Amino acid sequence: MRRIGIWIAAGGLLLATAACGGAGGGNGGAGGPAKTQTLSVGAVAEPANLDFTSTEGAAIPQALLVNVYEGLVKLDQDGKIVPLLAEKWDVSEDRKTYTFTLRPNVKFSSGAPFTADDVVFSLDRVKSDWKLKIKTQLDVVDKVEKKDDSTAVVTLKQPSNGFLYAMTSRLGAMFSRTGVADLANKPVGTGPYVLGSWRRGDSLRLDANPSYWGTKPALSSVTLKYFKDATAMNNALLTGGIDVISSVQAPESLQQFADPNRFETIEGTTNGEVVLSMNNGRPPFDDKKVRQAVRHAIDHKALLDTAWAGRGQLIGSMVPPTDPWYEDRTGDYPYDPAKAKELLGGKTYDVKLRIPSLPYAVNSAQVVKSQLAQVGINAEIEPLEFPARWLDQVFTKGDYDLSIINHVEPRDLGIFADKSYYFRYDNPEFGKLLASADAGTEQEQAADLKQAAKLLSEDAAADWLFLFPNLIVAKKGVTGLPKNAIAESFDFTGLAKQ
């Protein structure tokens, strides 16, 4: 369960906006794509390349997962696991063997047929070729075998509650055995769209796949248009340059789009925890009392109101309300500057607050800096270009004291179990709770993960500023936009124009 996410439009961690639509293949419009049905979607952080097997960042799966690459299963808008390239699956009584029955007549965009051989290839490749830390989520897999062309069997080392859920993420993407030579530039998948063009620094266009196995998308193409700042993106929607803002970057500006005859605003929830990250591996935040002081020093309601116009939700932990083991932990560290000063013991500290150059992080950092200064922690804000510099300096090298990032990947509590992760958090008891949760019953899983979230909060491994909202603005007549962003992808298959 080691994952990190980044929000493209919201600018999240390694970061992505996310999700939607119903079960695969059948959730688009009827018939073939209309020749003039195109859609332009505004976003903020563009992918560094198109290979999500070796490059961190949710910007890549946001654009490509479900749209270009499909898995055996996917998440629907309610967070339920539903069939995609697998028509069905059966689980053995001991919960260790998953037998997937594949859809017939599915082809990759290259024309190669999709068979059980590709399932074996794709899942074996996670272990052999993937470079990302999240690959460890499939360490529970013992072997993957082909029973026949339309049947693949996955055998686990032990029962796992997380395996099938992990298969809905990029880890479960199916690749062609002949289509992985240039993943950074030429994705080959089974999905309803193919890569049309990519103008680095400007836009990425996906074109409808004419040979798609399922219901053809209603749009002939979807273009992700990337903007450097929120004002430029807002102006593009106001002037007709784009059709959709995939994640509003300036909530205070929503009044510009209040005319119901021109625009529609969609507000829902996400999995995105905006985290005030603390480097547990070096002073001063290797001291639990200093971390606890930070948590008491933050007035979270004031921060949310100031930084994000009150949009979002206070949660106090790494678990969003959409997860079954959610508990409101906002009361663990109430705003109490006097308590914070007491924990610091009269000491003062100078620290670096290294943040991605994204609106939610920049706005939040100003509030954090002001509030920490009141208790004796002087934070120097250093905005870093996102994704490249932030990923290199903070995420990869761990060279920071504090940071602010939107962790958007679903069910990512387990990233704290990896002591080499950029939090540098190290508590063996936390890892034991996660292992027990994965192998237990559903009831045991929920109980263990509630305890794990509580332990993480008590240790003040980080501070959770707020849950990022799903705020989308679109021209009137755009349909199929997701109310909630609960997966890694922004699923274009249900989008249409009236």
Side-chain angles (χ1 to χ4, degrees), residues 306-438:
T306 303
W308 220 240
R311 307 277 182 159
Q313 181 178 349
L314 304 182
I315 55 175
S317 80
M318 197 66 178
V319 182
T322 47
D323 285 350
W325 38 90
Y326 169 74
E327 289 183 318
D328 183 351
R329 306 220 63 88
T330 55
D332 289 357
Y333 288 87
Y335 176 54
D336 189 342
K339 180 66 174 177
K341 291 180 180 179
E342 178 186 331
L343 286 163
L344 293 175
K347 295 180 181 179
T348 60
Y349 297 97
D350 295 322
V351 299
K352 302 289 188 182
L353 175 52
R354 290 177 169 152
I355 60 170
S357 55
L358 297 166
Y360 73 85
V362 173
N363 293 354
S364 297
Q366 297 296 333
V367 181
V368 169
K369 175 183 173 69
S370 175
Q371 293 183 349
L372 291 184
Q374 301 302 310
V375 302
I377 300 176
N378 302 304
E380 179 185 351
I381 300 173
E382 292 186 9
L384 301 175
E385 182 270 329
F386 184 87
R389 284 198 64 211
W390 187 92
L391 286 176
D392 176 60
Q393 192 162 352
V394 177
F395 182 67
T396 302
K397 296 177 179 175
D399 183 14
Y400 78 105
D401 298 317
L402 296 170
S403 190
I404 297 173
I405 198 71
N406 184 11
H407 282 261
V408 304
E409 291 188 347
R411 299 190 179 181
D412 52 2
L413 180 66
I415 59 180
F416 283 90
D418 181 358
K419 64 183 179 182
S420 69
Y421 208 69
Y422 84 108
F423 299 119
R424 303 297 194 259
Y425 175 67
D426 184 11
N427 186 334
E429 183 60 29
F430 181 78
K432 290 177 183 177
L433 285 168
L434 292 186
S436 175
D438 194 40

Side-chain angles (χ1 to χ4, degrees), residues 13 141 179 197 305 308 316 342-343 381 445:
L13 187 170
V141 174
S197 66
D305 289 344
W308 220 240
E342 178 186 331
L343 286 163
I381 300 173
Q445 179 190 32

Side-chain angles (χ1 to χ4, degrees), residues 4 76 87 266 282 362 377 394 449:
I4 191 167
D76 70 7
E87 286 186 319
I266 295 172
R282 74 185 193 188
V362 173
I377 300 176
V394 177
L449 291 180

